Amino acid sequence: MALALRLWRFLPLGRSATPGPRLPTGTAGSREQCVLWRLRGAEVERMGKMGNPGAFKRSLLFSALSYLGFETYQVISQAAVVHATAKVFRVEEILEQADYLYESGETEKLYQLLSQYKESEDAELLWRLARATRDIAQLSGTSEAEKKLLVYEALEYAKRALEKNESSFAAHKWYAICISDVGDYEGIRAKIANAYMIKEHFEKAIELNPKDATAIHLMGIWCYTFAEMPWYQRRIAKMLFATPPSSTYEEALGYFHRAEQVDPNFYSKNLLLLGKTYLKLHNKKLAAFWLTKAKDYPAHTEEDKQIQTEAARLLTGFSDKN
């Protein structure tokens, strides 16, 4: 009201009052607004001629306030766009930092960065947080009690990521990984029951992104796991389920090779599992080839170091037998 009174002092009161002010060009809705101002201007001029100064002033004040309201709306709208744009840039900046730390093997720094955004609604942030949380759980210095908490925490982030964006191949992939991890704490029945869901999400991840070598590799692990399932677990599975999950080493080998074709040498564990699968198929020559590659793979993470050690041990077993 105070603003309206200040405007009143500057409003023209004479019969020569011109139509309302012209809107700036290039603004959204300016055409409709200009028509509105022309109509109101004609009305103001008509009232001025009819000798009704009170109505004239009220109409002109209404027109001025309408214009002021439109200008305020524009300012607020532009501010909202700027804020939304800044938010997008902020998320992109965080994702860039996160990917750099991941590629550099900075597991703890990555977790510290992403754990600041636990309440985020962004699927891209959430699945990365699930991955980082799981990686912390896998560190050799993490206690068993702490590891269990982290595994369940990672599953929660992955679940939220999938809820936010069901079209994210990475969300499907990490949700499946985290379900598998949780199965280690929930017994053989839950682990077997979850196997169908895990396979479904890996297949969906591959469908959404056929060039993601990691999802293909993980499908290979799924096959390898059920191919080497001990007899007693198979027996339990048959008792619990009419058609328990099953696979073969040949099927696993197909996925590991497919992952390698998509992205050669992308992951030390894929090299190791190629070697181990060939061992299961009694092809020692090709097993030695892939195990040597796994042993010589540059160690960027704690897992890489563990894989180097396992590959070297298996190769030593070859030498001992020869």
Side-chain angles (χ1 to χ4, degrees):
M1 189 63 188
L3 178 59
L5 289 172
R6 284 200 298 272
L7 282 169
W8 179 264
R9 294 174 191 160
F10 297 101
L11 295 178
L13 301 179
R15 289 180 58 174
S16 60
T18 58
R22 185 167 55 88
L23 288 178
T25 57
T27 56
S30 58
R31 188 171 183 179
E32 290 81 359
Q33 290 293 332
C34 285
V35 170
L36 181 63
W37 277 103
R38 283 198 296 271
L39 288 172
R40 285 178 183 161
E43 184 183 349
V44 167
E45 186 175 356
R46 187 168 62 254
M47 284 189 292
K49 289 177 179 177
M50 290 173 65
N52 190 346
F56 168 77
K57 286 195 279 186
R58 283 194 300 275
S59 179
L60 194 54
L61 176 60
F62 176 75
S63 297
L65 289 176
S66 296
Y67 176 68
L68 179 63
F70 176 72
E71 289 291 298
T72 304
Y73 166 77
Q74 280 191 306
V75 171
I76 292 171
S77 298
Q78 289 167 4
V81 169
V82 169
H83 176 71
T85 305
K87 188 177 180 181
V88 169
F89 285 151
R90 176 62 178 154
V91 170
E92 288 179 354
E93 183 185 335
I94 295 164
L95 296 181
E96 260 184 48
Q97 292 175 20
D99 290 344
Y100 174 78
L101 290 171
Y102 182 76
E103 293 299 327
S104 303
E106 297 284 358
T107 305
E108 293 176 340
K109 288 182 181 178
L110 175 60
Y111 179 72
Q112 287 168 8
L113 169 68
L114 293 178
S115 59
Q116 299 174 65
Y117 307 100
K118 291 181 179 182
E119 304 306 317
S120 174
E121 299 296 311
D122 189 279
E124 292 297 304
L125 265 173
L126 287 168
W127 74 252
R128 283 172 171 82
L129 178 54
R131 179 181 66 182
T133 305
R134 181 183 183 272
D135 286 347
I136 288 288
Q138 301 297 318
L139 293 178
S140 57
T142 305
S143 69
E144 281 304 313
E146 204 175 5
K147 180 178 180 178
K148 183 177 179 180
L149 290 173
L150 288 166
V151 162
Y152 279 93
E153 186 181 330
L155 176 60
E156 184 58 31
Y157 298 140
K159 182 180 178 182
R160 283 172 50 205
L162 195 56
E163 287 170 354
K164 298 301 174 188
N165 185 4
E166 289 189 356
S167 297
S168 168
F169 79 93
H172 281 280
K173 176 172 68 178
W174 286 98
Y175 183 58
I177 292 169
C178 292
I179 291 173
S180 178
D181 289 343
V182 164
D184 293 338
Y185 298 98
E186 297 189 344
I188 185 66
R189 184 188 182 104
K191 199 172 182 70
I192 294 171
N194 288 341
Y196 298 101
M197 194 187 308
I198 291 166
K199 184 181 183 183
E200 179 187 331
H201 285 287
F202 282 149
E203 288 175 338
K204 187 63 178 178
I206 295 168
E207 178 191 326
L208 289 168
N209 185 3
K211 295 297 183 182
D212 180 46
T214 308
I216 299 168
H217 160 82
L218 291 168
M219 204 47 242
I221 289 183
W222 190 95
C223 296
Y224 185 94
T225 300
F226 285 99
E228 73 164 359
M229 180 184 281
W231 67 269
Y232 65 89
Q233 288 187 2
R234 289 183 190 278
R235 190 171 179 179
I236 294 170
K238 285 180 181 178
M239 290 170 63
L240 297 174
F241 304 96
T243 53
S246 63
S247 189
T248 64
Y249 290 118
E250 288 82 3
E251 193 175 1
L253 191 67
Y255 279 111
F256 294 141
H257 272 300
R258 182 178 164 188
E260 208 60 32
Q261 288 166 2
V262 168
D263 191 0
N265 298 315
F266 75 102
Y267 186 26
S268 59
K269 192 167 186 177
N270 199 61
L271 303 174
L272 176 70
L273 283 167
L274 276 162
K276 290 178 74 171
T277 308
Y278 274 116
L279 270 180
K280 295 288 186 181
L281 294 170
H282 310 292
N283 189 330
K284 291 185 178 180
K285 185 177 179 181
L286 284 174
F289 172 79
W290 290 106
L291 289 172
T292 301
K293 291 193 74 169
K295 180 180 71 70
D296 295 338
Y297 191 90
H300 298 296
T301 66
E302 187 76 21
E303 185 184 34
D304 288 336
K305 293 173 186 176
Q306 294 168 4
I307 284 165
Q308 282 182 340
T309 302
E310 186 176 355
R313 179 180 59 77
L314 290 169
L315 284 167
T316 302
F318 276 26
S319 302
D320 292 343
K321 289 177 182 177
N322 293 334

